[in-house]
Amino acid sequence: MLGAAAPAEGFGAFVRSGTTVETKAVAGTSDAGGGYAVPREIDAMIAATLKVASPIRAIAQVVRVGSAGYRKLVTSGATPSGWASEAGARPETATPTFNEIAPPMGELYANPAASQAMLDDAAFDVEAWLAGEIAGEFARAEGQAFVSGSGVDRPRGFLSYPAATTGDAARPFGTLQYLPSGAAADFGSDPENRLIDLVHALRGAYRQGACWVMNAQTAARIRKFKTADGAFLWMPGLSGGQPDTLLGYPVVEAGDMPDIAAGAAPIAFGNFKAGYLIAERAETQILRDPYSNKPFVHFYATRRVGGAVMNSEAIKLLKIAAA
């Protein structure tokens, strides 16, 4: 019998020698919904179009929390000091300002269903496939939220924060600094100098561990930039697993970053370990429910995650604008 309990070579024997093979008569509601998988001998490895998952989780600070009420204190400003003689007075110095960070959290969920007949008869492991599909979709959705999420029932992306051209000393806490590209809808006449300025807008302490974040289309433009003497700014990784570098800093390709367009910020540079916080309660939870909607088996998956900018001085943006 050809099905979940029968070896795949049974069909091969039929093809080679004409051996009769009994097939189960399983009704699928539609071909795309499962009918393709049941009555035909198919490749057990399911091909799928790849979904772009943002790598922000890999470069940000990730903490596990026990509840949705996670808070973190961040100080802005340093503690000033002063000089005094041996017997001189020591007046009171200023104290740092405490800022509370509360990453907005939301719950991702999915509730796909498969008929029991499909689970029994499909030529591949439907449960494992659904689990992989859910995990991949959750990674894609949370990655988009880390970049541009609104903060309403989901993480707040770093591009959704206010931005200004003022430096760290004069800019309000929670406002990112951006440098203009020099043109209203594209890079200006000296894009390589703008990138150098962006690097040095970040304080030296944050540049240890900093990286570039951009999408593939922007990276394709940047790879063609040269210095005045004809040297490329972009250096490809020399061995497997080594990232490409731009001006000596690794480049992280994030598909959720915007394209080059007027008013957009297609390039970010910063230390995301210091600048962006991801708070999650647990790994993805998947509940198998064969009872609520017989004869279908539901796979209810949830993941609770939040995100917010933790230090607005640690991330800089290049904005497509004349000034």
Side-chain angles (χ1 to χ4, degrees):
M1 182 172 291
L2 183 62
E9 56 266 22
F11 183 76
F14 170 74
V15 172
R16 288 191 299 270
S17 62
T19 303
T20 302
V21 179
E22 179 184 356
T23 59
K24 288 185 177 181
V26 178
T29 56
S30 68
D31 281 343
Y36 284 126
V38 177
R40 302 171 178 85
E41 180 75 8
I42 64 170
D43 190 344
M45 297 299 294
I46 305 302
T49 56
L50 294 176
K51 296 172 182 174
V52 178
S54 176
I56 302 301
R57 173 180 284 272
I59 60 176
Q61 182 179 149
V62 181
V63 296
R64 292 289 182 88
V65 299
S67 68
Y70 178 76
R71 299 290 189 273
K72 184 178 181 67
L73 290 178
V74 178
T75 61
S76 60
T79 302
S81 59
W83 293 97
S85 64
E86 180 180 354
R90 272 70 170 176
E92 180 182 349
T93 59
T95 56
T97 301
F98 286 90
N99 300 279
E100 185 181 70
I101 303 298
M105 301 191 74
E107 187 168 272
L108 276 169
Y109 79 94
N111 192 25
S115 68
Q116 187 61 56
M118 182 177 179
L119 295 176
D120 292 339
D121 300 333
F124 59 95
D125 189 340
V126 180
E127 295 188 45
W129 170 72
L130 276 175
E133 284 288 295
I134 291 169
E137 172 59 24
F138 279 11
R140 183 207 62 79
E142 70 172 19
Q144 185 275 333
F146 296 152
V147 173
S148 57
S150 65
V152 179
D153 297 329
R154 69 195 65 195
R156 186 174 182 184
F158 62 88
L159 290 185
S160 69
Y161 282 78
T165 57
T166 49
D168 292 344
R171 200 174 62 257
F173 181 84
T175 299
L176 301 182
Q177 182 183 10
Y178 77 86
L179 271 64
S181 65
D186 206 337
F187 291 107
S189 58
D190 55 348
E192 63 280 357
N193 291 335
R194 299 285 176 168
L195 296 176
I196 293 172
D197 290 341
L198 189 64
V199 168
H200 290 279
L202 190 68
R203 293 183 184 178
Y206 295 132
R207 289 200 296 270
Q208 302 297 319
C211 63
W212 300 91
V213 178
M214 63 188 76
N215 67 21
Q217 290 75 22
T218 303
R221 287 286 304 278
I222 300 297
R223 292 192 70 159
K224 302 168 187 174
F225 290 171
K226 298 180 181 180
T227 61
D229 58 1
F232 284 100
L233 301 180
W234 188 287
M235 293 293 293
L238 299 179
S239 60
Q242 295 298 314
D244 296 339
T245 60
L246 176 62
L247 296 173
Y249 296 93
V251 179
V252 175
E253 189 176 300
D256 297 300
M257 290 292 288
D259 293 332
I260 298 170
I267 299 175
F269 177 76
N271 188 322
F272 284 80
K273 287 287 185 185
Y276 194 81
L277 175 69
I278 297 172
E280 60 181 5
R281 291 193 63 179
E283 297 290 349
T284 301
Q285 305 292 319
I286 300 180
L287 173 66
R288 188 180 189 274
D289 177 15
Y291 307 110
S292 300
N293 188 23
K294 294 186 287 289
F296 293 95
V297 178
H298 284 261
F299 297 88
Y300 178 63
T302 59
R303 182 182 185 88
R304 190 162 184 82
V305 63
V309 168
M310 177 173 58
N311 184 346
S312 55
E313 296 182 357
I315 300 174
K316 307 295 182 182
L317 305 175
L318 184 73
K319 183 177 180 180
I320 304 300

